[in-house]
């Protein structure tokens, strides 16, 4: 296991929750919480098996936060979209062929 990986995942989930909370949309927040709970093992798997992913995700999160802080919804939205698309691409290419969960 990568040192600090479990702590990273806890902070990652909290970051996404803070963004959803700041939106003021309680339905979005509940959806994000549900999704985060269901993807915790996959996040651990990815962090342990993809070199450099934690640093890259931290950079993406900092950019998202920077645009939110600057009150630039267009750049924040574009950065979030790119972040989600990259995660979706990873899920499809890395886990799409698996028939059982990567971590039990």
């Amino acid at each position: 296991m990568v040192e600090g990986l479990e702590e990273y995942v806890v902070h990652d989930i909290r970051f996404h929750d803070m963004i959803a909370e700041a939106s003021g949309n309680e339905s979005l927040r509940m959806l994000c919480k549900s999704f985060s709970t269901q993807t915790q093992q996959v996040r651990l798997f990815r962090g342990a098996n993809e070199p450099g992913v934690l640093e890259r995700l931290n950079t993406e999160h900092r950019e998202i936060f920077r645009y939110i802080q600057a009150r630039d919804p267009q750049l924040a939205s574009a950065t979030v979209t790119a972040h989600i698309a990259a995660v979706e691409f990873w899920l499809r290419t890395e886990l799409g062929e698996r028939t059982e969960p990567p971590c039990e």
Side-chain angles (χ1 to χ4, degrees):
M1 181 70 69
V2 174
E3 185 176 335
L5 179 57
E6 289 182 8
E7 183 179 355
Y8 175 84
V9 170
V10 168
H11 290 292
D12 182 55
I13 290 169
R14 180 65 185 129
F15 175 78
H16 289 99
D17 182 56
M18 290 172 63
I19 300 296
E21 181 180 26
S23 76
N25 183 333
E26 195 58 33
S27 295
L28 173 64
R29 188 171 185 204
M30 288 172 36
L31 181 64
C32 287
K33 279 185 184 248
S34 174
F35 183 74
S36 291
T37 300
Q38 294 177 25
T39 61
Q40 189 167 2
Q41 291 299 318
V42 172
R43 292 171 196 226
L44 290 168
F45 175 81
R46 186 179 187 197
N49 292 286
E50 184 179 337
V53 70
L54 301 183
E55 292 81 10
R56 189 172 65 253
L57 293 173
N58 277 334
T59 297
E60 292 173 7
H61 288 166
R62 278 193 293 276
E63 288 179 10
I64 292 165
F65 181 74
R66 184 176 76 208
Y67 295 132
I68 290 171
Q69 193 173 38
R71 299 185 186 280
D72 191 329
Q74 292 168 327
L75 283 176
S77 178
T79 306
V80 166
T81 299
H83 176 68
I84 291 170
V87 171
E88 180 184 1
F89 179 79
W90 179 84
L91 284 167
R92 282 189 283 119
T93 58
E94 296 298 319
L95 301 182
E97 300 298 317
R98 294 179 183 270
T99 58
E100 46 188 72
C103 300
E104 293 280 326

